[in-house]
Amino acid sequence: PSEREGFEVAWRETVEERALGFGDGPFTRSQMDTKFGRGKWRPLTRTAIPQPGRATPWRCIDNAKLNKGNAASHFVETICCEKADLPAATTQEFARILGPPSRQGWSMRGGCNDVKKAYRKIVNGHLQYMVVMLPGPSTGRCMYWIIWGWVLSFRHSHGKR
């Protein structure tokens, strides 16, 4: 796939995100300067990369390395993920305390929810850094979009230090 195709896919995905209420745009540079102040906002280049063999054949990428966003940001907090054996260990602990489930009449059920667009639902008070830029599909002119939630581009989004 060509770079142009990646930008076209990213444009369509961004339009879809706007329709879902996760962003606004497109805007011109002048409109962004009016909104945030000249030099007071920092766009991330957005494109899409192919993912052969996946249910979603393309994935948008927002480049926070290119605009120095990664170098200018740092961790304040992080998450700790549990291991896959947590449900078994939890059930074992319940059985130790309550007795075997078959004799005591209790059972355990579990599950996992994958929240669609989860990062887009994280409130962000720094929208001037949640701006993506894409070439317009008909003009090739650079246009800007404000993403309301968190863009998944900063290395900290992936737990990388």
Side-chain angles (χ1 to χ4, degrees):
S2 68
E3 183 178 58
R4 179 186 175 111
E5 188 176 4
F7 284 128
E8 289 170 355
V9 169
W11 185 275
R12 286 193 304 271
E13 291 285 324
T14 307
V15 168
E16 183 181 310
E17 283 192 343
R18 180 188 61 196
L20 293 170
F22 296 132
D24 199 10
F27 300 104
T28 64
R29 182 179 182 156
S30 175
Q31 289 171 313
M32 295 300 290
D33 285 341
T34 299
K35 183 177 281 297
F36 294 118
R38 187 170 181 192
K40 307 245 183 205
W41 56 283
R42 186 178 291 229
L44 301 131
T45 303
R46 175 173 277 194
T47 189
I49 60 168
Q51 300 187 114
R54 292 272 181 89
T56 307
W58 291 85
R59 180 169 61 105
C60 283
I61 300 292
D62 304 320
N63 193 334
K65 185 176 182 180
L66 188 64
N67 79 346
K68 309 285 189 238
N70 280 340
S73 62
H74 65 279
F75 275 105
V76 174
E77 62 182 88
T78 188
I79 63 170
C80 177
C81 296
E82 295 298 333
K83 295 179 183 173
D85 65 350
L86 178 66
T90 303
T91 303
Q92 187 175 29
E93 188 63 14
F94 268 89
R96 187 184 67 75
I97 295 167
L98 300 174
S102 58
R103 283 189 259 156
Q104 302 300 325
W106 64 272
S107 66
M108 291 196 71
R109 290 180 228 165
C112 178
N113 292 326
D114 186 11
V115 178
K116 186 174 176 144
K117 302 275 187 189
Y119 273 80
R120 297 296 187 253
K121 296 174 184 175
I122 298 172
V123 177
N124 190 305
H126 302 284
L127 292 178
Q128 69 272 27
Y129 304 118
M130 300 296 118
V131 174
V132 296
M133 83 180 155
L134 282 162
S138 57
T139 64
R141 185 172 165 220
C142 208
M143 300 299 288
Y144 304 91
W145 301 74
I146 299 169
I147 305 300
W148 298 128
W150 192 254
V151 293
L152 230 144
S153 57
F154 293 96
R155 69 175 182 251
H156 311 301
S157 303
H158 307 283
K160 297 176 183 170
R161 290 189 181 260

